[in-house]
Amino acid sequence: QVQLVESGGGLVQAGGSLRLSCAASGIIFSIYSMSWYRQAPGKQRELVAVIGIGGSTNYADSMKGRFTISRDNAKNTVYLQMNSLKPEDTADYYCSARMSTMKRVDDYWGQGTQVTVSS
């Protein structure tokens, strides 16, 4: 049974910080690429950040310099450190795990954690 459980969301004032966590179970965590996505009401889901199995990272342009993704393979956990938060960062944040081969892609998703940034 695969399970991804996000935590750390909440209400924060603009300019503040939050650290989201995603604890994974039921997968060999170290061979999965891990990502954070977010979705605001009425908007499409968008990629926030990705960290590969070798530790390489990629960020959406609007998050560069403010957000940091990291992983701790010993704890089967991926983190998203969010600094200098803006009201437009308000969304549900989702953790995902992906392993891909030539003919198969395995994707898993958490239930999400809500982040609200007040003005």
Side-chain angles (χ1 to χ4, degrees), residues 14-77:
S17 298
L18 285 173
R19 189 181 75 159
L20 306 183
S21 299
C22 173
S25 60
I27 61 171
I28 304 174
F29 183 81
S30 62
I31 64 172
Y32 279 76
S33 174
M34 301 298 298
S35 301
W36 288 95
Y37 289 79
R38 70 185 185 186
Q39 187 169 26
K43 297 182 67 177
Q44 294 274 84
R45 182 185 64 187
E46 67 173 337
L47 178 67
V48 175
V50 182
I51 185 164
I53 61 175
S56 61
T57 59
N58 286 288
Y59 301 90
D61 286 343
S62 63
M63 269 67 78
K64 288 181 179 178
R66 299 191 299 122
F67 291 8
T68 302
I69 188 171
S70 61
R71 66 192 296 163
D72 186 340
N73 288 347
K75 296 181 178 179
N76 285 359
T77 301

